[in-house]
Amino acid sequence: MTSTTLSTSPPLLPRPSTEPTQPPVSNDPPSFTPIHDASDINQIELLSVSWNQDYGCFAAGTSQDFRIYNCQPFKETFRRNLKTGGFKIVEMLFRCNILALVGGESNSHYPPNKVIIWDDHQSRCIGEFAFRSEVRAVKLRRDRIVVVLEHKIYVYGFMDLKLLHQIETLANPRGLCCLSHHSNTSVLACPGLYRGLIRVEHFGLNIMKLINAHDSHIACLTLTLDGLLLATASTKGTLIRIFNTMDGTRLQEVRRGVDRADIYSIALSPNFQWLAVSSDKGTVHIFHLRVRVFGGHSSSQSSSVQGPALLHQNSSTSLDALIPPSTGANPSSSLSFMRAFGSQNTVVVVGMNGSFYRCSFDPVHGGEMLQQEYVRFLKTKT
């Protein structure tokens, strides 16, 4: 790190998310294969998409600007073109006016090695962090700013921008890191110093836990909002594992498939009942979880903690992607997804081709998901 500057932040305005209902379980996982509108080619390149902390809206960084979208009802909330170039990272803080920005390669004013703390009410930068290497990811919570470089993670206080922690990691080009967002827990998960190892920091409890999650390198990880459960996938992409972050116990394992896949993202529903996985196969799979959290401790409802998942792969979940996995030299340019659970057994899917989907899944019979809404959001105007 080479420099930081400081300013104060305004009050926060979060909006809680809604949990899905809890009907019976089937033996077939719901799945979804997106549609590709090949006739529509946007001149604006989508560089990144990221959810806010309650999954009620998402931010899109493009080659020209950044934009914020509300999910229900779907609406472009605002966009900002700073006349300097594009943004490869746009990180929201719930629904407040503070964002963390990292410029793209062509950004003339905000380079890829600098994090900008942007106040959209004042339309100006109120703080910045400059580094010697490229910023891979930025994560925010009410009291922390986390900056991820390829080999190191810096944790700062949100109000004063003072450095609180430094964490060494294995090479982490994807910027893998996740945070809890409940006010009574402060948990960070990131790759450790060895292949397949995950480091979990419980900052509030001053506890650090190392979890041997996989034999291969970590490809994706996510925490529940309270930080008590961790879901992980490796570069093999066949198994997703769920761990108790307090003691490192493996609680459940689900199989996405038998073929190797690049896992783009994992989502856990707020009520711990559902897990969604997206990959370069062009499908999103939903699995039922058997883990519960009571009084800050996780437990499994099955007799075998490491036994098979209740839902298994079948033919309805192995549909081919309508966009080839290799659409460019940059893996992020292929059809990757991020998703969030909504009410009434729905899942929101945002694709790197600029598509927004809302789909419902049948928790009893599984099978193909039903598309309820589809928007090409890069074409949406305010």
Side-chain angles (χ1 to χ4, degrees), residues 119-162:
D119 184 338
D120 202 68
H121 282 175
Q122 302 181 52
S123 295
R124 69 181 184 93
C125 169
I126 61 171
E128 66 178 50
F129 304 88
F131 302 89
R132 295 186 181 92
S133 60
E134 183 178 345
V135 175
R136 301 295 183 176
V138 182
K139 303 296 178 182
L140 301 178
R141 51 174 281 147
R142 292 181 178 93
D143 57 354
R144 296 288 187 272
I145 299 173
V146 177
V147 180
V148 184
L149 308 182
E150 184 156 354
H151 294 276
K152 186 170 286 189
I153 295 175
Y154 294 98
V155 181
Y156 301 91
F158 197 95
M159 297 302 294
D160 56 13
L161 303 190
K162 289 184 178 180

Side-chain angles (χ1 to χ4, degrees), residues 167 187-193 196-203 205-213 223 227-228 230 243-250:
I167 300 172
V187 185
L188 178 150
C190 65
L193 285 171
L197 185 69
I198 293 179
R199 175 172 177 164
V200 178
E201 293 281 355
H202 291 266
F203 292 123
L205 301 175
N206 198 26
I207 295 174
M208 190 271 285
K209 189 70 182 178
L210 296 176
I211 299 175
N212 289 300
L223 287 167
L228 296 180
L230 170 73
F243 297 90
N244 179 334
T245 63
M246 291 297 296
D247 59 16
T249 304
R250 187 197 300 181

Side-chain angles (χ1 to χ4, degrees), residues 219-230:
C220 191
L221 54 86
T222 192
L223 287 167
T224 48
L225 293 178
D226 60 11
L228 296 180
L229 294 181
L230 170 73

Side-chain angles (χ1 to χ4, degrees), residues 34 73 81 90 95 152 159 202 213 249 262 283 294 310 322 356:
N81 187 333
V90 183
R95 291 173 177 267
K152 186 170 286 189
M159 297 302 294
H202 291 266
T249 304
D262 189 1
T283 55
F294 300 105
L310 295 181
L322 297 182
F356 172 92

